[in-house]
Amino acid sequence: VDAFKEGLRAQDTAVLFDIGLKVVLPVGLGMIVGVIGVSNLLRWLLHRYKKATLGVLLGLLVGAVVGLWPFQQSVEPQEGMVVKGQAITFATPSSTDASPAEPAWVFLESGEVVEAEDLPTEFFSPTGGKIVGAVGLVVLGLGTTLMIDRVQGGKQ
């Protein structure tokens, strides 16, 4: 993508043609086909199995809230911190290929890289302003949805 942007800036047609055909065109077509396919599948499922489909969609939305919950933050790793029962350190991970690895947080015992999702998450109590802001955004989203439904006239 960066090379494509640089090709656009430099107006280099060879780079644009090469990267455009190898990367941008397949990704763009995949996105278009995916959106059309998923929307048609959802329409078909809602027509045939309305309650079950709405239940699954509601479950996905509720499950996504956990990842989007605003009152949490990841804990910055520290030397010697215990993650998954092992101490971690900042070092060059053990590598099986010929290319040298970049320094990263690794487990002391195994030498494997600590993945970001393995690091602990810290929950904190929001201030009154943050709670009001979060509730305000929820109300704004609900109002927007109801307004769109009213403009549409409740058509299905």
Side-chain angles (χ1 to χ4, degrees), residues 80-153:
M81 177 187 275
V82 177
V83 176
K84 290 185 147 183
Q86 295 184 50
I88 62 171
T89 187
F90 194 74
T92 303
S94 54
S95 179
T96 56
D97 56 9
S99 63
E102 294 291 322
W105 289 102
V106 295
F107 292 110
L108 277 175
E109 291 84 11
S110 66
E112 294 178 11
V113 175
V114 179
E115 300 296 330
E117 60 266 7
D118 291 337
L119 293 172
T121 301
E122 172 181 74
F123 296 92
F124 58 92
S125 298
T127 63
K130 288 183 179 182
I131 291 174
V132 169
V135 170
L137 289 172
V138 168
V139 170
L140 178 68
L142 178 63
T144 303
T145 303
L146 292 173
M147 195 152 129
I148 289 171
D149 185 55
R150 180 167 285 224
V151 167
Q152 187 183 10

